[in-house]
Amino acid sequence: MNIAGLVILYNPDNHLIRNIQTYRHLINRLYIIDNSENEHNETIEQLMKLNECILIREGINKGIAASLNQGCSLAKKDGFTELLTMDQDSFFSPENISRYLNCVLNFPEKSTVA
């Protein structure tokens, strides 16, 4: 299965990296859309060191819906069949992310779910 992740940021703190690491190893690519208005953030600089991450810095807060639509379009264009959407404060425990993905990947009627 070809799974991408999408995380939307707004002035993230250093907890962001730890949160992303709870699910990063289970996805093929992570799209990061930063709606922060400031340009310098040490956390963002650390994100750039992660493999298979695409960072899009907007410089304005265009809202979560616009960012979700943008990330979904990018993942679809790049051929991903599944997309895990997260916000910067969200994370998984090791046992829960495995259960979650197992349920998603083995759901018998995926074609009926948007």
Side-chain angles (χ1 to χ4, degrees), residues 8 35 62-72:
I8 310 299
N35 284 338
K62 62 182 185 173
I64 194 162
S67 296
L68 285 170
N69 285 332
Q70 181 181 9
C72 288

Side-chain angles (χ1 to χ4, degrees), residues 1-4 25-28 80-84 96-111 113:
M1 188 106 353
N2 204 6
I3 303 172
H25 64 287
L26 295 170
I27 58 177
N28 301 100
F80 289 97
T81 57
E82 309 293 332
L83 182 64
L84 173 68
N96 285 338
I97 185 65
S98 296
R99 280 189 228 149
Y100 177 80
L101 286 178
N102 187 46
C103 288
V104 169
L105 297 177
N106 294 307
F107 187 72
E109 299 177 31
K110 280 191 255 184
S111 65
V113 179

Side-chain angles (χ1 to χ4, degrees), residues 4-9 31-35 54-78 83 85:
L6 169 63
V7 63
I8 310 299
L9 309 182
Y31 298 94
I32 303 165
I33 300 181
D34 183 14
N35 284 338
I54 296 176
L55 174 65
I56 299 164
R57 299 186 86 176
E58 294 297 336
I60 59 169
N61 185 2
K62 62 182 185 173
I64 194 162
S67 296
L68 285 170
N69 285 332
Q70 181 181 9
C72 288
S73 293
L74 287 169
K76 186 175 180 180
K77 179 181 79 67
D78 290 342
L83 182 64
T85 60

